[in-house]
Short mmCIF file of all heavy atoms in Angstrom, two decimals:
data_model
loop_
_atom_site.label_atom_id
_atom_site.label_comp_id
_atom_site.label_asym_id
_atom_site.label_seq_id
_atom_site.Cartn_x
_atom_site.Cartn_y
_atom_site.Cartn_z
N ASP A 258 3.21 -34.55 -6.78
CA ASP A 258 3.04 -33.75 -8.00
C ASP A 258 3.37 -32.28 -7.73
O ASP A 258 4.08 -31.65 -8.51
CB ASP A 258 1.61 -33.87 -8.54
CG ASP A 258 1.28 -35.27 -9.03
OD1 ASP A 258 1.94 -35.71 -9.98
OD2 ASP A 258 0.37 -35.89 -8.48
N THR A 259 2.79 -31.75 -6.68
CA THR A 259 3.02 -30.33 -6.42
C THR A 259 4.47 -30.08 -6.01
O THR A 259 5.05 -29.05 -6.39
CB THR A 259 2.04 -29.79 -5.36
OG1 THR A 259 2.19 -28.38 -5.27
CG2 THR A 259 2.21 -30.40 -4.01
N VAL A 260 5.10 -31.00 -5.28
CA VAL A 260 6.50 -30.82 -4.91
C VAL A 260 7.38 -30.79 -6.15
O VAL A 260 8.22 -29.90 -6.33
CB VAL A 260 6.97 -31.94 -3.96
CG1 VAL A 260 8.48 -31.91 -3.79
CG2 VAL A 260 6.29 -31.80 -2.60
N ALA A 261 7.19 -31.76 -7.04
CA ALA A 261 8.00 -31.81 -8.26
C ALA A 261 7.80 -30.54 -9.10
O ALA A 261 8.75 -30.02 -9.70
CB ALA A 261 7.63 -33.03 -9.06
N ASP A 262 6.59 -30.00 -9.09
CA ASP A 262 6.21 -28.83 -9.87
C ASP A 262 6.50 -27.54 -9.10
O ASP A 262 5.75 -26.56 -9.20
CB ASP A 262 4.72 -28.94 -10.24
CG ASP A 262 4.28 -27.90 -11.24
OD1 ASP A 262 5.14 -27.43 -12.04
OD2 ASP A 262 3.09 -27.54 -11.25
N ASN A 263 7.58 -27.54 -8.34
CA ASN A 263 8.01 -26.39 -7.56
C ASN A 263 6.91 -25.84 -6.68
O ASN A 263 6.66 -24.62 -6.61
CB ASN A 263 8.58 -25.27 -8.45
CG ASN A 263 9.33 -24.22 -7.64
OD1 ASN A 263 9.90 -24.53 -6.59
ND2 ASN A 263 9.36 -22.99 -8.12
N ALA A 264 6.19 -26.77 -6.02
CA ALA A 264 5.13 -26.39 -5.09
C ALA A 264 4.06 -25.51 -5.75
O ALA A 264 3.48 -24.63 -5.12
CB ALA A 264 5.68 -25.73 -3.85
N SER A 265 3.85 -25.77 -7.06
CA SER A 265 2.80 -25.05 -7.81
C SER A 265 2.96 -23.53 -7.77
O SER A 265 1.98 -22.78 -7.82
CB SER A 265 1.40 -25.43 -7.29
OG SER A 265 1.20 -26.81 -7.29
N SER A 266 4.19 -23.08 -7.73
CA SER A 266 4.43 -21.65 -7.58
C SER A 266 4.51 -20.95 -8.93
O SER A 266 4.82 -21.57 -9.95
CB SER A 266 5.73 -21.38 -6.81
OG SER A 266 6.82 -21.97 -7.48
N ALA A 267 4.24 -19.65 -8.96
CA ALA A 267 4.35 -18.87 -10.18
C ALA A 267 4.96 -17.50 -9.87
O ALA A 267 6.02 -17.16 -10.39
CB ALA A 267 2.99 -18.70 -10.85
N MET A 268 4.31 -16.71 -9.04
CA MET A 268 4.79 -15.37 -8.71
C MET A 268 4.37 -14.99 -7.30
O MET A 268 3.49 -15.65 -6.71
CB MET A 268 4.23 -14.32 -9.69
CG MET A 268 4.83 -14.39 -11.05
SD MET A 268 4.22 -13.07 -12.13
CE MET A 268 5.37 -13.21 -13.49
N ALA A 269 4.96 -13.92 -6.78
CA ALA A 269 4.56 -13.38 -5.48
C ALA A 269 4.56 -11.86 -5.60
O ALA A 269 5.47 -11.27 -6.18
CB ALA A 269 5.53 -13.81 -4.39
N VAL A 270 3.52 -11.25 -5.06
CA VAL A 270 3.40 -9.79 -5.05
C VAL A 270 3.54 -9.35 -3.59
O VAL A 270 2.79 -9.82 -2.72
CB VAL A 270 2.05 -9.32 -5.62
CG1 VAL A 270 1.95 -7.81 -5.55
CG2 VAL A 270 1.91 -9.80 -7.07
N LEU A 271 4.49 -8.45 -3.32
CA LEU A 271 4.77 -8.03 -1.96
C LEU A 271 4.30 -6.61 -1.69
O LEU A 271 4.51 -5.71 -2.52
CB LEU A 271 6.29 -8.08 -1.67
CG LEU A 271 7.00 -9.44 -1.79
CD1 LEU A 271 8.44 -9.29 -1.42
CD2 LEU A 271 6.31 -10.49 -0.94
N GLY A 272 3.69 -6.42 -0.54
CA GLY A 272 3.38 -5.07 -0.08
C GLY A 272 4.61 -4.44 0.57
O GLY A 272 5.71 -5.00 0.51
N ALA A 273 4.43 -3.29 1.20
CA ALA A 273 5.55 -2.60 1.84
C ALA A 273 6.11 -3.42 3.00
O ALA A 273 5.37 -4.03 3.78
CB ALA A 273 5.09 -1.23 2.33
N ALA A 274 7.44 -3.41 3.11
CA ALA A 274 8.10 -4.11 4.21
C ALA A 274 7.77 -3.46 5.55
O ALA A 274 7.70 -2.22 5.65
CB ALA A 274 9.60 -4.12 3.99
N VAL A 275 7.58 -4.27 6.56
CA VAL A 275 7.32 -3.79 7.92
C VAL A 275 8.43 -4.33 8.83
O VAL A 275 8.59 -5.54 8.95
CB VAL A 275 5.97 -4.29 8.45
CG1 VAL A 275 5.74 -3.84 9.88
CG2 VAL A 275 4.82 -3.81 7.53
N PRO A 276 9.24 -3.46 9.43
CA PRO A 276 10.30 -3.96 10.32
C PRO A 276 9.69 -4.85 11.40
O PRO A 276 8.67 -4.50 12.01
CB PRO A 276 10.89 -2.67 10.91
CG PRO A 276 10.57 -1.61 9.91
CD PRO A 276 9.24 -1.98 9.34
N PHE A 277 10.32 -6.00 11.64
CA PHE A 277 9.74 -6.89 12.63
C PHE A 277 10.11 -6.44 14.03
O PHE A 277 11.27 -6.25 14.35
CB PHE A 277 10.21 -8.34 12.42
CG PHE A 277 9.57 -9.30 13.37
CD1 PHE A 277 8.20 -9.49 13.36
CD2 PHE A 277 10.33 -9.94 14.35
CE1 PHE A 277 7.59 -10.34 14.26
CE2 PHE A 277 9.72 -10.80 15.26
CZ PHE A 277 8.34 -11.01 15.21
N ASP A 278 9.07 -6.24 14.84
CA ASP A 278 9.25 -5.68 16.16
C ASP A 278 8.72 -6.58 17.26
O ASP A 278 8.43 -6.12 18.38
CB ASP A 278 8.56 -4.31 16.24
CG ASP A 278 7.08 -4.39 15.85
OD1 ASP A 278 6.57 -5.50 15.62
OD2 ASP A 278 6.45 -3.33 15.78
N GLY A 279 8.56 -7.85 16.95
CA GLY A 279 8.06 -8.78 17.94
C GLY A 279 6.54 -8.90 17.98
O GLY A 279 5.99 -9.58 18.83
N ARG A 280 5.85 -8.23 17.06
CA ARG A 280 4.37 -8.26 17.02
C ARG A 280 3.90 -9.71 16.89
O ARG A 280 4.59 -10.58 16.35
CB ARG A 280 3.83 -7.41 15.90
CG ARG A 280 4.09 -7.94 14.50
CD ARG A 280 3.69 -6.93 13.43
NE ARG A 280 4.49 -5.73 13.53
CZ ARG A 280 4.09 -4.53 13.10
NH1 ARG A 280 2.90 -4.39 12.54
NH2 ARG A 280 4.88 -3.49 13.18
N ASP A 281 2.69 -9.97 17.34
CA ASP A 281 2.14 -11.32 17.35
C ASP A 281 1.56 -11.66 15.99
O ASP A 281 0.43 -11.31 15.66
CB ASP A 281 1.05 -11.43 18.44
CG ASP A 281 0.51 -12.84 18.60
OD1 ASP A 281 0.98 -13.72 17.86
OD2 ASP A 281 -0.34 -13.04 19.43
N LEU A 282 2.34 -12.35 15.20
CA LEU A 282 1.91 -12.70 13.84
C LEU A 282 0.84 -13.79 13.84
O LEU A 282 0.10 -13.92 12.87
CB LEU A 282 3.11 -13.15 13.01
CG LEU A 282 4.18 -12.07 12.76
CD1 LEU A 282 5.36 -12.63 12.00
CD2 LEU A 282 3.58 -10.87 12.01
N ALA A 283 0.74 -14.57 14.91
CA ALA A 283 -0.33 -15.56 14.99
C ALA A 283 -1.69 -14.89 15.10
O ALA A 283 -2.71 -15.40 14.64
CB ALA A 283 -0.11 -16.49 16.19
N ALA A 284 -1.73 -13.71 15.73
CA ALA A 284 -2.99 -12.96 15.89
C ALA A 284 -3.28 -12.02 14.74
O ALA A 284 -4.33 -11.37 14.71
CB ALA A 284 -2.94 -12.19 17.22
N GLU A 285 -2.35 -11.90 13.80
CA GLU A 285 -2.52 -10.98 12.67
C GLU A 285 -3.74 -11.41 11.85
O GLU A 285 -3.86 -12.57 11.43
CB GLU A 285 -1.26 -10.99 11.78
CG GLU A 285 -1.27 -9.97 10.68
CD GLU A 285 -1.10 -8.54 11.18
OE1 GLU A 285 -0.59 -8.36 12.29
OE2 GLU A 285 -1.51 -7.62 10.46
N THR A 286 -4.64 -10.47 11.61
CA THR A 286 -5.85 -10.76 10.84
C THR A 286 -5.63 -10.47 9.34
O THR A 286 -4.80 -9.63 9.00
CB THR A 286 -7.04 -9.94 11.34
OG1 THR A 286 -6.71 -8.55 11.23
CG2 THR A 286 -7.36 -10.28 12.77
N MET A 287 -6.38 -11.18 8.50
CA MET A 287 -6.32 -10.94 7.06
C MET A 287 -7.70 -11.03 6.47
O MET A 287 -8.49 -11.90 6.81
CB MET A 287 -5.42 -11.96 6.37
CG MET A 287 -5.28 -11.73 4.86
SD MET A 287 -4.64 -13.16 3.93
CE MET A 287 -6.09 -14.25 3.95
N VAL A 288 -8.00 -10.10 5.56
CA VAL A 288 -9.21 -10.15 4.75
C VAL A 288 -8.76 -10.21 3.28
O VAL A 288 -8.09 -9.32 2.80
CB VAL A 288 -10.11 -8.93 4.99
CG1 VAL A 288 -11.34 -9.02 4.09
CG2 VAL A 288 -10.53 -8.82 6.45
N LEU A 289 -9.12 -11.30 2.63
CA LEU A 289 -8.76 -11.48 1.22
C LEU A 289 -10.01 -11.24 0.37
O LEU A 289 -11.04 -11.89 0.58
CB LEU A 289 -8.23 -12.90 0.99
CG LEU A 289 -7.79 -13.26 -0.44
CD1 LEU A 289 -6.58 -12.45 -0.85
CD2 LEU A 289 -7.51 -14.76 -0.55
N GLU A 290 -9.91 -10.30 -0.58
CA GLU A 290 -11.06 -9.93 -1.41
C GLU A 290 -10.73 -10.11 -2.89
O GLU A 290 -9.68 -9.70 -3.37
CB GLU A 290 -11.43 -8.47 -1.17
CG GLU A 290 -11.79 -8.12 0.26
CD GLU A 290 -11.97 -6.64 0.47
OE1 GLU A 290 -13.11 -6.15 0.28
OE2 GLU A 290 -10.95 -5.97 0.79
N SER A 291 -11.67 -10.75 -3.59
CA SER A 291 -11.57 -10.90 -5.02
C SER A 291 -12.98 -10.87 -5.60
O SER A 291 -13.76 -11.82 -5.42
CB SER A 291 -10.89 -12.24 -5.40
OG SER A 291 -10.83 -12.41 -6.80
N GLY A 292 -13.34 -9.76 -6.22
CA GLY A 292 -14.71 -9.59 -6.68
C GLY A 292 -15.67 -9.62 -5.49
O GLY A 292 -15.45 -8.91 -4.50
N ASP A 293 -16.67 -10.45 -5.58
CA ASP A 293 -17.64 -10.56 -4.49
C ASP A 293 -17.20 -11.54 -3.39
O ASP A 293 -17.88 -11.67 -2.36
CB ASP A 293 -19.02 -11.03 -5.03
CG ASP A 293 -19.64 -10.00 -5.96
OD1 ASP A 293 -19.37 -8.80 -5.78
OD2 ASP A 293 -20.39 -10.39 -6.87
N LEU A 294 -16.10 -12.22 -3.62
CA LEU A 294 -15.62 -13.21 -2.66
C LEU A 294 -14.77 -12.54 -1.58
O LEU A 294 -13.83 -11.80 -1.87
CB LEU A 294 -14.80 -14.26 -3.38
CG LEU A 294 -14.26 -15.43 -2.54
CD1 LEU A 294 -15.39 -16.21 -1.92
CD2 LEU A 294 -13.37 -16.33 -3.38
N VAL A 295 -15.09 -12.82 -0.33
CA VAL A 295 -14.34 -12.28 0.80
C VAL A 295 -14.00 -13.43 1.75
O VAL A 295 -14.91 -14.14 2.22
CB VAL A 295 -15.14 -11.20 1.57
CG1 VAL A 295 -14.32 -10.70 2.75
CG2 VAL A 295 -15.51 -10.04 0.64
#
Side-chain angles (χ1 to χ4, degrees):
D258 293 299
T259 188
V260 169
D262 190 27
N263 194 29
S265 306
S266 60
M268 288 184 168
V270 179
L271 300 182
V275 177
F277 183 63
D278 55 5
R280 70 188 63 205
D281 186 359
L282 296 176
E285 187 71 22
T286 59
M287 181 196 74
V288 178
L289 180 67
E290 301 173 89
S291 178
D293 295 331
L294 182 62
V295 179

